[in-house]
Amino acid sequence: RLWTTDEGLVVTTGETDEFTGERTLLIWLAWARKRGTNLVAKHQDFFVQLARKEGYKKLETRSAVPDLKHHFLSQGWQIDTIVYTRDV
């Protein structure tokens, strides 16, 4: 789904763990017109409520930007998995 405001946009999708059947609402893409405006904090409750309403057990996002670690942890997120890749 595509979610938009004058401040930016978010694209979400659902994922289901093939072993547990647990559903996760993935914030697949997030873009802000102006960086540094704390949109995660501003809109986080909307996505938490959406996930609960639609039966998801987790809310997830992924980022390769190391500077976001502190910001997400301060908003109640936790580190679950870090993905590293390497071209060969």
Side-chain angles (χ1 to χ4, degrees):
R1 290 187 197 171
L2 172 64
W3 308 92
T4 63
T5 70
D6 291 339
E7 301 159 309
L9 62 87
V10 168
V11 177
T12 61
T13 189
E15 292 189 342
T16 303
D17 184 297
E18 64 182 273
F19 300 107
T20 66
E22 189 173 88
R23 296 177 65 222
T24 299
L25 179 62
L26 173 64
I27 297 175
W28 180 73
L29 174 73
W31 174 81
R33 188 173 306 280
K34 183 178 178 187
R35 296 180 84 170
T37 55
N38 207 9
L39 294 178
V40 172
K42 183 175 181 180
H43 297 290
Q44 179 171 260
D45 286 343
F46 170 81
F47 290 103
V48 168
Q49 293 302 320
L50 174 71
R52 286 181 182 150
K53 178 182 170 190
E54 296 190 359
Y56 293 101
K57 297 294 181 186
K58 290 183 181 179
L59 185 62
E60 180 178 324
T61 191
R62 302 169 187 157
S63 177
V65 181
D67 294 342
L68 290 175
K69 176 183 171 183
H70 175 72
H71 179 72
F72 276 107
L73 293 177
S74 72
Q75 295 297 318
W77 292 75
Q78 60 190 13
I79 297 173
D80 184 67
T81 304
I82 297 173
V83 177
Y84 295 94
T85 64
R86 177 182 166 170
D87 292 332
V88 295

